Amino acid sequence: MTITSEQRFGDFVGVRVHEGREHVAELVLDRPRAMNAVSTDMARSIAAACAALAVDPAVRVTVLTSSHERAFCVGADLKERNSFTDAELLRQRPTARAAYTGVLELPMPTIAAVHGFALGGGFELALSCDLIVADRTAVVGLPEVSVGVIPGGGGTQLLPRRVGAARAAELVFSARRVEAAEAHGLGLVDELVEAGQDRTAALELAGRIAANSPVGLRAAKRALRLGHGLDLRAGLEVEDAAWRSVAFSGDRAEGVAAFNEKRKPNWPGE
């Protein structure tokens, strides 16, 4: 399946491929009346959109954005959750998890463009991306223990990988909100830009990344993800396996030829 122009996934999620950035897909959270609170239907749509993106050979980078002016995503839809019985909450859990793992397991590099509130599951969606670009209005945090649960979209595992175990524990246990400047200083976000510029900056970064080999990008992501946390010897084996997967590819041949011929490569993507 190849996504062209714009495609909707249910009522609350869209995917765009921009003219002039044909290898960059924008995954748009689009439930503005609820500040992108993730309902069951929205979670199902996020997972479906990610499944389509994952098998689209034309997409080299995915940017996760929000259509709401004041929020990236405020997390789970607690109004919906309040109506659930225990049995309904348990049945809904795989649907919720599929949304977060859908973003986390996208095979190409991913960038979150964050402004306003990115709280709870909203921040976990951003943490599931490889890079986070935030503007100065951003407020991030994992407040789940303040409502009697814990982060359930990967936050307890992804946050320590960004900021270390002790800092992650302080943020999770305190449930505090972190404003943009501090978030950047702590490494909760990777790039801080002026208000209203998060999407533009993320798309520009995506364009620079997408100029590189799609085979190389996906292999590099596998090596980075699979090697994280392993001892050095095991990590180097992961890297070697990823290297072998690209060393005899058409992209490698084209990249070397383009370098020697002093021209831009025309990546075959295989």
Side-chain angles (χ1 to χ4, degrees):
M1 175 181 184
T2 300
I3 296 168
T4 58
S5 186
E6 183 162 0
Q7 184 172 337
R8 297 294 299 184
F9 292 84
D11 293 330
F12 307 129
V13 175
V15 174
R16 300 177 187 143
V17 176
H18 296 271
E19 186 175 353
R21 281 200 189 99
E22 63 271 18
H23 297 299
V24 176
E26 184 179 357
L27 175 56
V28 186
L29 305 177
D30 189 25
R31 195 185 177 205
R33 291 185 180 181
M35 300 181 80
N36 289 331
V38 182
S39 64
T40 302
D41 284 346
M42 186 173 178
R44 192 175 290 116
S45 294
I46 292 170
C50 288
L53 285 165
V55 296
D56 189 335
V59 177
R60 299 179 189 173
V61 185
T62 295
V63 179
L64 182 60
T65 69
S66 162
S67 67
H68 195 284
E69 293 182 356
R70 295 187 296 108
F72 174 73
C73 173
V74 294
D77 186 341
L78 296 185
K79 291 183 178 179
E80 180 189 64
R81 294 280 180 92
N82 192 48
S83 71
F84 284 172
T85 64
D86 288 352
E88 287 170 336
L89 180 61
L90 188 61
R91 283 197 297 271
Q92 194 256 5
R93 175 62 176 161
T95 302
R97 284 196 69 186
Y100 298 103
T101 56
V103 176
L104 183 65
E105 294 177 0
L106 282 170
M108 73 289 291
T110 52
I111 305 168
V114 174
H115 59 266
F117 296 114
L119 301 172
F123 189 38
E124 288 172 304
L125 286 172
L127 289 171
S128 296
C129 294
D130 299 299
L131 297 166
I132 302 174
V133 175
D135 81 0
R136 293 189 180 278
T137 70
V139 179
V140 305
L142 297 176
E144 284 86 347
V145 297
S146 70
V147 293
V149 290
I150 70 166
T156 65
Q157 305 306 304
L158 296 169
L159 190 59
R161 285 166 166 77
R162 272 191 162 265
V163 299
R167 178 61 68 193
E170 184 268 319
L171 292 167
V172 171
F173 296 161
S174 70
R176 71 185 179 92
R177 299 179 178 189
V178 183
E179 295 187 359
E182 183 185 4
H184 186 232
L186 293 175
L188 297 173
V189 304
D190 302 300
E191 183 177 345
L192 186 61
V193 297
E194 294 305 314
Q197 295 301 306
D198 55 295
R199 178 176 172 272
T200 298
L203 288 170
E204 288 176 352
L205 174 58
R208 295 195 297 273
I209 293 171
N212 297 307
S213 158
V215 171
L217 288 171
R218 292 185 181 216
K221 178 165 178 170
R222 284 200 308 275
L224 287 164
R225 286 284 180 91
L226 296 177
H228 187 92
L230 300 179
D231 65 63
L232 180 58
R233 185 179 297 274
L236 290 173
E237 290 303 314
V238 168
E239 181 182 79
D240 186 65
W243 180 87
R244 290 174 185 276
S245 74
V246 301
F248 309 104
S249 68
D251 274 16
R252 196 278 309 172
E254 169 62 9
V256 172
F259 176 84
N260 283 288
E261 294 166 16
K262 296 180 173 56
R263 59 173 174 82
K264 290 181 64 174
N266 182 21
W267 304 115
E270 58 184 22

Short mmCIF file of all heavy atoms in Angstrom, two decimals, residues 157-194:
data_model
loop_
_atom_site.label_atom_id
_atom_site.label_comp_id
_atom_site.label_asym_id
_atom_site.label_seq_id
_atom_site.Cartn_x
_atom_site.Cartn_y
_atom_site.Cartn_z
N GLN A 157 9.49 2.58 30.58
CA GLN A 157 10.63 1.97 29.89
C GLN A 157 11.34 2.95 28.96
O GLN A 157 12.57 2.93 28.86
CB GLN A 157 10.16 0.74 29.09
CG GLN A 157 9.41 -0.28 29.90
CD GLN A 157 10.19 -0.73 31.13
OE1 GLN A 157 11.33 -1.20 31.01
NE2 GLN A 157 9.60 -0.58 32.31
N LEU A 158 10.58 3.81 28.32
CA LEU A 158 11.18 4.74 27.37
C LEU A 158 11.82 5.94 28.06
O LEU A 158 12.88 6.42 27.62
CB LEU A 158 10.11 5.23 26.38
CG LEU A 158 9.52 4.15 25.48
CD1 LEU A 158 8.30 4.69 24.73
CD2 LEU A 158 10.57 3.63 24.50
N LEU A 159 11.20 6.44 29.12
CA LEU A 159 11.76 7.62 29.78
C LEU A 159 13.14 7.36 30.38
O LEU A 159 14.06 8.19 30.19
CB LEU A 159 10.79 8.13 30.85
CG LEU A 159 11.12 9.50 31.45
CD1 LEU A 159 11.17 10.59 30.38
CD2 LEU A 159 10.09 9.86 32.53
N PRO A 160 13.38 6.24 31.09
CA PRO A 160 14.74 5.99 31.61
C PRO A 160 15.79 5.89 30.50
O PRO A 160 16.95 6.24 30.72
CB PRO A 160 14.61 4.66 32.35
CG PRO A 160 13.17 4.53 32.67
CD PRO A 160 12.44 5.21 31.55
N ARG A 161 15.39 5.44 29.34
CA ARG A 161 16.34 5.34 28.24
C ARG A 161 16.75 6.71 27.73
O ARG A 161 17.80 6.85 27.11
CB ARG A 161 15.72 4.50 27.10
CG ARG A 161 15.69 3.01 27.40
CD ARG A 161 14.79 2.26 26.43
NE ARG A 161 14.99 0.82 26.50
CZ ARG A 161 14.52 0.02 27.44
NH1 ARG A 161 13.81 0.52 28.44
NH2 ARG A 161 14.75 -1.27 27.41
N ARG A 162 15.93 7.70 27.99
CA ARG A 162 16.26 9.08 27.60
C ARG A 162 17.04 9.80 28.68
O ARG A 162 18.00 10.51 28.38
CB ARG A 162 14.98 9.87 27.33
CG ARG A 162 14.48 9.76 25.92
CD ARG A 162 13.38 10.77 25.64
NE ARG A 162 13.22 10.92 24.21
CZ ARG A 162 13.81 11.84 23.48
NH1 ARG A 162 14.57 12.75 24.05
NH2 ARG A 162 13.63 11.88 22.17
N VAL A 163 16.60 9.69 29.93
CA VAL A 163 17.13 10.58 30.97
C VAL A 163 17.76 9.85 32.14
O VAL A 163 18.22 10.50 33.09
CB VAL A 163 16.01 11.53 31.48
CG1 VAL A 163 15.49 12.40 30.36
CG2 VAL A 163 14.88 10.76 32.14
N GLY A 164 17.82 8.52 32.11
CA GLY A 164 18.40 7.78 33.21
C GLY A 164 17.35 7.36 34.24
O GLY A 164 16.28 7.98 34.35
N ALA A 165 17.68 6.34 35.01
CA ALA A 165 16.70 5.74 35.92
C ALA A 165 16.26 6.70 37.03
O ALA A 165 15.07 6.80 37.33
CB ALA A 165 17.29 4.46 36.52
N ALA A 166 17.20 7.39 37.66
CA ALA A 166 16.85 8.24 38.80
C ALA A 166 15.99 9.43 38.35
O ALA A 166 14.99 9.76 39.00
CB ALA A 166 18.12 8.73 39.50
N ARG A 167 16.36 10.09 37.27
CA ARG A 167 15.57 11.22 36.80
C ARG A 167 14.18 10.76 36.36
O ARG A 167 13.18 11.42 36.64
CB ARG A 167 16.28 11.89 35.62
CG ARG A 167 15.49 13.05 35.02
CD ARG A 167 15.26 14.16 36.03
NE ARG A 167 16.52 14.81 36.38
CZ ARG A 167 16.67 15.63 37.40
NH1 ARG A 167 15.64 15.89 38.20
NH2 ARG A 167 17.84 16.20 37.66
N ALA A 168 14.10 9.61 35.68
CA ALA A 168 12.81 9.09 35.28
C ALA A 168 11.95 8.77 36.51
O ALA A 168 10.74 9.06 36.52
CB ALA A 168 12.98 7.84 34.43
N ALA A 169 12.56 8.20 37.55
CA ALA A 169 11.81 7.90 38.77
C ALA A 169 11.23 9.16 39.39
O ALA A 169 10.06 9.20 39.80
CB ALA A 169 12.70 7.17 39.76
N GLU A 170 12.03 10.22 39.45
CA GLU A 170 11.55 11.49 40.02
C GLU A 170 10.36 12.02 39.23
O GLU A 170 9.36 12.46 39.81
CB GLU A 170 12.69 12.50 40.03
CG GLU A 170 12.35 13.85 40.67
CD GLU A 170 11.83 14.86 39.68
OE1 GLU A 170 12.38 14.95 38.57
OE2 GLU A 170 10.85 15.58 40.02
N LEU A 171 10.44 11.95 37.92
CA LEU A 171 9.36 12.49 37.09
C LEU A 171 8.10 11.65 37.18
O LEU A 171 6.99 12.18 37.24
CB LEU A 171 9.84 12.58 35.64
CG LEU A 171 10.94 13.62 35.38
CD1 LEU A 171 11.56 13.42 34.00
CD2 LEU A 171 10.41 15.03 35.52
N VAL A 172 8.26 10.34 37.19
CA VAL A 172 7.08 9.47 37.28
C VAL A 172 6.46 9.52 38.67
O VAL A 172 5.24 9.65 38.81
CB VAL A 172 7.46 8.02 36.91
CG1 VAL A 172 6.31 7.06 37.21
CG2 VAL A 172 7.85 7.92 35.44
N PHE A 173 7.28 9.46 39.72
CA PHE A 173 6.75 9.45 41.08
C PHE A 173 6.11 10.78 41.47
O PHE A 173 5.12 10.82 42.20
CB PHE A 173 7.86 9.12 42.09
CG PHE A 173 8.45 7.75 41.94
CD1 PHE A 173 9.70 7.47 42.50
CD2 PHE A 173 7.79 6.73 41.26
CE1 PHE A 173 10.26 6.20 42.38
CE2 PHE A 173 8.35 5.47 41.14
CZ PHE A 173 9.58 5.20 41.70
N SER A 174 6.68 11.88 41.01
CA SER A 174 6.14 13.20 41.36
C SER A 174 4.95 13.58 40.51
O SER A 174 4.14 14.44 40.89
CB SER A 174 7.22 14.27 41.22
OG SER A 174 7.55 14.49 39.85
N ALA A 175 4.81 12.96 39.33
CA ALA A 175 3.72 13.25 38.39
C ALA A 175 3.73 14.70 37.93
O ALA A 175 2.71 15.22 37.48
CB ALA A 175 2.36 12.90 39.01
N ARG A 176 4.89 15.36 38.03
CA ARG A 176 4.89 16.79 37.76
C ARG A 176 4.97 17.09 36.26
O ARG A 176 5.43 16.28 35.46
CB ARG A 176 6.05 17.47 38.47
CG ARG A 176 7.46 17.18 37.96
CD ARG A 176 8.49 17.85 38.86
NE ARG A 176 9.86 17.61 38.43
CZ ARG A 176 10.54 18.41 37.62
NH1 ARG A 176 9.97 19.50 37.14
NH2 ARG A 176 11.79 18.14 37.30
N ARG A 177 4.47 18.27 35.91
CA ARG A 177 4.55 18.76 34.55
C ARG A 177 5.84 19.54 34.36
O ARG A 177 6.24 20.29 35.25
CB ARG A 177 3.33 19.63 34.23
CG ARG A 177 2.01 18.89 34.35
CD ARG A 177 0.84 19.80 34.04
NE ARG A 177 -0.43 19.07 34.11
CZ ARG A 177 -1.59 19.55 33.72
NH1 ARG A 177 -1.66 20.81 33.25
NH2 ARG A 177 -2.69 18.83 33.80
N VAL A 178 6.44 19.38 33.21
CA VAL A 178 7.74 20.00 32.93
C VAL A 178 7.59 20.94 31.74
O VAL A 178 7.17 20.51 30.66
CB VAL A 178 8.82 18.94 32.64
CG1 VAL A 178 10.17 19.60 32.44
CG2 VAL A 178 8.87 17.90 33.75
N GLU A 179 7.92 22.19 31.93
CA GLU A 179 7.81 23.16 30.84
C GLU A 179 8.99 23.03 29.88
O GLU A 179 10.01 22.43 30.18
CB GLU A 179 7.68 24.57 31.40
CG GLU A 179 6.39 24.75 32.20
CD GLU A 179 6.15 26.19 32.61
OE1 GLU A 179 6.99 27.06 32.30
OE2 GLU A 179 5.11 26.44 33.24
N ALA A 180 8.83 23.65 28.73
CA ALA A 180 9.70 23.39 27.58
C ALA A 180 11.19 23.57 27.87
O ALA A 180 12.00 22.71 27.52
CB ALA A 180 9.29 24.29 26.42
N ALA A 181 11.57 24.69 28.49
CA ALA A 181 13.00 24.96 28.69
C ALA A 181 13.63 23.89 29.58
O ALA A 181 14.72 23.38 29.28
CB ALA A 181 13.20 26.35 29.29
N GLU A 182 12.95 23.53 30.67
CA GLU A 182 13.49 22.49 31.54
C GLU A 182 13.48 21.14 30.83
O GLU A 182 14.44 20.36 30.96
CB GLU A 182 12.69 22.39 32.84
CG GLU A 182 13.28 21.35 33.80
CD GLU A 182 12.46 21.12 35.05
OE1 GLU A 182 11.36 21.70 35.18
OE2 GLU A 182 12.91 20.33 35.91
N ALA A 183 12.42 20.87 30.08
CA ALA A 183 12.34 19.60 29.35
C ALA A 183 13.52 19.45 28.40
O ALA A 183 14.11 18.37 28.27
CB ALA A 183 11.02 19.52 28.59
N HIS A 184 13.89 20.53 27.73
CA HIS A 184 15.03 20.48 26.82
C HIS A 184 16.32 20.27 27.60
O HIS A 184 17.17 19.46 27.20
CB HIS A 184 15.09 21.77 26.01
CG HIS A 184 16.14 21.76 24.95
ND1 HIS A 184 17.09 22.76 24.82
CD2 HIS A 184 16.41 20.87 23.96
CE1 HIS A 184 17.88 22.48 23.81
NE2 HIS A 184 17.50 21.34 23.27
N GLY A 185 16.45 20.95 28.72
CA GLY A 185 17.65 20.80 29.53
C GLY A 185 17.82 19.39 30.09
O GLY A 185 18.95 18.90 30.23
N LEU A 186 16.71 18.74 30.41
CA LEU A 186 16.76 17.38 30.96
C LEU A 186 16.89 16.31 29.88
O LEU A 186 17.13 15.15 30.19
CB LEU A 186 15.48 17.10 31.77
CG LEU A 186 15.28 17.90 33.05
CD1 LEU A 186 13.92 17.57 33.66
CD2 LEU A 186 16.40 17.60 34.05
N GLY A 187 16.73 16.69 28.62
CA GLY A 187 16.79 15.72 27.55
C GLY A 187 15.45 15.03 27.27
O GLY A 187 15.40 14.04 26.55
N LEU A 188 14.36 15.59 27.82
CA LEU A 188 13.04 15.04 27.54
C LEU A 188 12.63 15.34 26.10
O LEU A 188 11.82 14.61 25.51
CB LEU A 188 12.00 15.63 28.49
CG LEU A 188 12.20 15.31 29.97
CD1 LEU A 188 11.21 16.10 30.81
CD2 LEU A 188 12.03 13.82 30.22
N VAL A 189 13.13 16.42 25.54
CA VAL A 189 12.94 16.74 24.13
C VAL A 189 14.32 17.03 23.54
O VAL A 189 15.25 17.42 24.26
CB VAL A 189 11.98 17.93 23.92
CG1 VAL A 189 10.63 17.66 24.58
CG2 VAL A 189 12.57 19.22 24.42
N ASP A 190 14.45 16.87 22.24
CA ASP A 190 15.76 16.95 21.61
C ASP A 190 16.08 18.30 20.99
O ASP A 190 17.23 18.71 20.93
CB ASP A 190 15.87 15.87 20.52
CG ASP A 190 15.65 14.50 21.09
OD1 ASP A 190 16.42 14.09 21.97
OD2 ASP A 190 14.69 13.83 20.68
N GLU A 191 15.05 18.99 20.52
CA GLU A 191 15.26 20.30 19.89
C GLU A 191 14.16 21.23 20.35
O GLU A 191 12.98 20.85 20.39
CB GLU A 191 15.24 20.17 18.37
CG GLU A 191 15.53 21.47 17.63
CD GLU A 191 15.58 21.30 16.12
OE1 GLU A 191 15.68 20.15 15.64
OE2 GLU A 191 15.53 22.33 15.41
N LEU A 192 14.53 22.45 20.74
CA LEU A 192 13.58 23.45 21.22
C LEU A 192 13.55 24.59 20.22
O LEU A 192 14.59 25.17 19.89
CB LEU A 192 13.98 23.95 22.61
CG LEU A 192 13.01 24.89 23.31
CD1 LEU A 192 11.67 24.21 23.55
CD2 LEU A 192 13.61 25.36 24.64
N VAL A 193 12.33 24.93 19.76
CA VAL A 193 12.18 25.98 18.76
C VAL A 193 11.16 27.00 19.25
O VAL A 193 10.50 26.81 20.28
CB VAL A 193 11.73 25.39 17.39
CG1 VAL A 193 12.81 24.45 16.86
CG2 VAL A 193 10.39 24.67 17.51
N GLU A 194 11.05 28.10 18.54
CA GLU A 194 10.13 29.15 18.94
C GLU A 194 8.67 28.68 18.84
O GLU A 194 8.36 27.73 18.11
CB GLU A 194 10.34 30.39 18.08
CG GLU A 194 11.70 31.06 18.29
CD GLU A 194 11.96 31.42 19.75
OE1 GLU A 194 11.03 31.98 20.38
OE2 GLU A 194 13.05 31.13 20.24
#
